[in-house]
Amino acid sequence: MNRTVAFATTALYAVVSVTPGFAQSMDELVAAAEAEGTLTTIALPHDWCGYGAVIDGFKAKYPGIAVNELNPDAGSADELEAIRANMGNTGPQAPDVIDVGLAFGPAAQDEGLVQPYKVSTWDSIPDSAKDADGHWYGDYYGVMSFIVNTDMIDNVPTSFADLLKPEYVGAVALAGDPRASNQAILAVLAAGMSRGAEPGEAAAKAGLEFFAELNASGNFVPVIGKAGTLAQGTTPIVIEWDYNALAARDTLAGNPPVEVIVPSDAVLAGVYVQGISAHAPQPNAAKLWMEYLYSDEGQLGWLSGYCHPIRFNDLAARGVIPQEMMDALPPAEGYAAAVFPTLDQVNANRETVVSGWDQVVGANVQ
């Protein structure tokens, strides 16, 4: 472990053990969790957001607690179903914690599937990314970015407005079909925000107009962009989440060289959220897991997997992010302006984009 990280984490735990409203001290929570002896997670692939190292870090810190990992490839809906199906079951198939897409947090709360818990670093989680009572709270996010093949693009675009320039004819693609792909649907939202529209229906409409112009100019390529099409030159500029772009950068390993850009005129964040099952067989282990995830150490674990932890701005402001980790990311100031749309705004955008893409843009992305 990096010495800087270890110091910051230790200091945090010493301070937060008596945080107002935090019923147990940290020592009491650790003892209760170790008495339970197991934590059951679900849907945590080891190659997603650095989860493999995060789980290993938790086990190293608390060797008395086994981690029972259920169905790493499950989706958010599967996680909620696992809670429903195992109510009253204290066996190994009942998840203690979930990590789900933003829309699923409030849905789980409405159904009574999650219990409230405020981690000790609660105040440094943006209010817009958490339930006020602690039923769910944002864990990490990506921001919409451009990945650019610099073998083919001499002047790297730095904004959505740049993408409309004639020099990018036949160059710009989305990483999915905006009639079906959540990533592409939110790329339209980001484009609309770049024109000053409020997130939600207004930005969706403005984003559709943006892509209509991009398509009419010949700059838009109706091909789903990915690392292969980027390298081949079919889609030398792809709009996608930064963590996917950064992972693609690692995969390509300089062949071709690429740059990952956070656009200057719209920084849209896409959030996942954590929650503790209302029927968790090991509730104290679940709370300790949350404390670990939201400690500096846990947050940096996600960052090592290119997912921006929800407390990123706090970590950056306190200078606890190792320099080598920062060097692997686009500049931190680009993330300071990140906008976290509400669930209602996300849903309004999705409805408008999916229903309006064919009529307004008319490009069959595939």
Side-chain angles (χ1 to χ4, degrees):
M1 179 188 301
N2 179 285
R3 281 184 175 275
T4 303
V5 177
F7 172 79
T9 304
T10 302
L12 171 67
Y13 276 15
V15 170
V16 300
S17 62
V18 292
T19 297
F22 187 60
Q24 293 167 293
S25 72
M26 199 65 195
D27 289 342
E28 290 170 340
L29 179 59
V30 171
E34 289 180 340
E36 292 171 345
T38 301
L39 167 75
T40 298
T41 65
I42 185 171
L44 302 183
H46 283 203
D47 59 355
W48 177 277
C49 291
Y51 255 122
V54 169
I55 292 170
D56 287 344
F58 179 80
K59 290 193 292 190
K61 196 175 190 71
Y62 304 107
I65 302 172
V67 179
N68 173 35
E69 301 179 51
L70 301 175
N71 195 3
D73 296 324
S76 297
D78 300 319
E79 296 181 63
L80 301 195
E81 181 55 32
I83 295 177
R84 295 188 195 101
N86 288 283
M87 291 182 184
N89 179 4
T90 59
Q93 294 305 311
D96 293 309
V97 292
I98 56 173
D99 178 344
V100 295
L102 176 60
F104 291 86
Q109 179 183 356
D110 291 344
E111 198 178 332
L113 298 179
V114 287
Q115 61 178 282
Y117 180 72
K118 293 183 179 181
V119 293
S120 304
T121 50
W122 182 257
D123 289 345
S124 59
I125 300 172
D127 289 342
S128 58
K130 62 188 180 187
D131 166 52
D133 295 325
H135 288 86
W136 53 267
Y137 24 104
D139 44 22
Y140 49 76
Y141 64 94
V143 299
M144 200 56 67
S145 69
F146 309 152
I147 181 170
V148 182
N149 177 337
T150 55
D151 260 353
M152 299 190 65
I153 302 295
D154 293 330
N155 300 314
V156 175
T158 60
S159 67
F160 278 96
D162 281 350
L163 298 180
L164 292 166
K165 293 179 178 177
E167 63 188 288
Y168 302 122
V169 168
V172 184
L174 289 166
D177 181 348
R179 296 163 296 190
S181 160
N182 186 61
Q183 183 170 218
I185 290 167
L186 288 172
V188 178
L189 176 65
M193 288 167 52
S194 76
R195 295 189 157 182
E198 290 293 320
E201 182 179 4
K205 290 180 177 178
L208 289 173
E209 291 297 331
F210 173 89
F211 277 96
E213 291 178 33
L214 198 72
N215 191 42
S217 70
N219 290 15
F220 185 63
V221 183
V223 171
I224 294 176
K226 55 190 72 173
T229 60
L230 184 90
Q232 294 161 2
T234 308
T235 63
I237 302 172
V238 179
I239 307 171
E240 63 181 351
W241 293 124
D242 62 334
Y243 50 83
N244 290 331
L246 293 164
R249 180 188 65 181
D250 288 356
T251 298
L252 294 170
N255 185 28
V258 301
E259 285 191 33
V260 177
I261 303 296
V262 177
S264 60
D265 49 2
V267 187
L268 170 67
V271 180
Y272 278 74
V273 301
Q274 294 280 336
I276 297 176
S277 169
H279 307 277
Q282 289 90 212
N284 291 294
K287 293 174 184 176
L288 186 61
W289 170 248
M290 293 300 178
E291 292 292 346
Y292 181 76
L293 293 180
Y294 287 85
S295 70
D296 289 359
E297 182 178 353
Q299 296 277 290
L300 291 176
W302 280 328
L303 188 59
S304 71
Y306 295 132
C307 287
H308 266 66
I310 203 71
R311 296 179 50 237
F312 178 83
N313 289 343
D314 174 60
L315 299 177
R318 291 187 294 111
V320 299
I321 303 176
Q323 190 59 48
E324 63 269 25
M325 198 173 285
M326 293 293 289
D327 290 344
L329 298 168
E333 54 266 27
Y335 293 83
V339 173
F340 296 82
T342 67
L343 183 61
D344 287 344
Q345 290 170 333
V346 168
N347 288 339
N349 174 72
R350 181 183 186 87
E351 181 177 343
T352 303
V353 171
V354 171
S355 63
W357 178 268
D358 284 337
Q359 180 180 1
V360 178
V361 183
N364 184 27
V365 179
Q366 51 189 330

